[in-house]
Amino acid sequence: MKNKILYILLLFSGILFAQESLSELLKKHNNESVPYISVQELAMPKTDAFLLDARELREYEVSHLKDALHVGYNEFNLANTTKKLNNKDQMIVVYCSLGIRSEDIAEQLKKEGYTNVYNLFGGIFEWKNKDFKVYDDKNKLTENVHAFSKEWSQWLIKGNKIYD
């Protein structure tokens, strides 16, 4: 019995440490100029957001959130993106693998006057880690997620890691 309790405590502390580490990673790379939205909040039926995927096309084609618009990062075009957005007050959620590149894209939208822009905390990795669905380039459910790099792939716990 003591061993089971000890095992559960160790497992639980590992989960907390991993989450804390993700928070620290994002604090290290982001300036938090754009508010985060959690994957749980985004997944709620009441959340009506326009989703922008700020990863490269090869990442998006492996998998993406349902109905997300690919806008890219290296080739991001603000003018082309804003043409697809209805109004500057609509809720917009930008995501990438973890939430680092998406903050840069979200900042550009805010500077353009969009008032309701969020960065998905933990990105598609956290989305998949919490067992939410992702879709491939044919809009079919998939377990595959582009892992971006060996270094960043440590944050993707669930799904099949795909590399170029």
Side-chain angles (χ1 to χ4, degrees):
M1 181 66 171
K2 283 184 182 180
N3 286 342
K4 282 185 181 180
I5 292 172
L6 182 59
Y7 176 75
I8 291 170
L9 288 174
L10 286 174
L11 182 64
F12 186 66
S13 66
I15 291 168
L16 288 178
F17 177 73
Q19 187 63 41
E20 182 178 87
S21 296
L22 179 57
S23 295
E24 289 303 313
L25 177 77
L26 293 175
K27 281 184 184 192
K28 182 172 136 185
H29 291 281
N30 289 351
N31 60 27
E32 299 182 349
S33 60
V34 177
Y36 288 113
I37 185 171
S38 71
V39 296
Q40 294 89 343
E41 186 176 353
L42 179 58
M44 294 177 82
K46 69 175 177 78
T47 304
D48 183 25
F50 197 98
L51 301 175
L52 300 179
D53 188 314
R55 300 173 302 146
E56 298 309 317
L57 184 59
R58 68 188 183 280
E59 296 171 82
Y60 176 85
E61 288 173 342
V62 170
S63 64
H64 54 271
L65 277 59
K66 187 173 178 123
D67 299 325
L69 174 67
H70 174 258
V71 296
Y73 181 76
N74 291 333
E75 304 294 324
F76 176 71
N77 184 305
L78 183 61
N80 286 346
T81 301
T82 58
K83 286 177 189 174
K84 296 174 180 146
L85 301 173
N86 294 330
N87 68 66
K88 293 194 173 187
D89 296 320
Q90 74 186 106
M91 183 179 194
I92 301 167
V93 176
V94 187
Y95 74 91
C96 61
S97 296
L98 285 167
I100 298 169
R101 293 176 286 175
S102 50
E103 184 181 69
D104 294 342
I105 301 304
E107 284 174 346
Q108 291 183 52
L109 292 168
K110 283 183 71 174
K111 286 179 187 167
E112 191 67 18
Y114 289 86
T115 60
N116 201 9
V117 181
Y118 295 88
N119 185 6
L120 184 61
F121 184 89
I124 195 170
F125 288 5
E126 189 71 3
W127 182 265
K128 186 64 186 158
N129 290 342
K130 299 293 184 190
D131 294 317
F132 294 116
K133 296 175 182 175
V134 294
Y135 298 83
D136 65 16
D137 59 341
K138 294 174 179 54
N139 287 317
K140 303 278 186 208
L141 280 173
T142 184
E143 288 299 310
N144 296 338
V145 178
H146 194 287
F148 186 69
S149 71
K150 294 284 185 189
E151 177 186 355
W152 295 114
S153 71
Q154 68 178 316
W155 303 102
L156 180 61
I157 298 164
K158 296 187 177 175
N160 302 322
K161 297 177 185 181
I162 305 297
Y163 301 93
D164 289 333

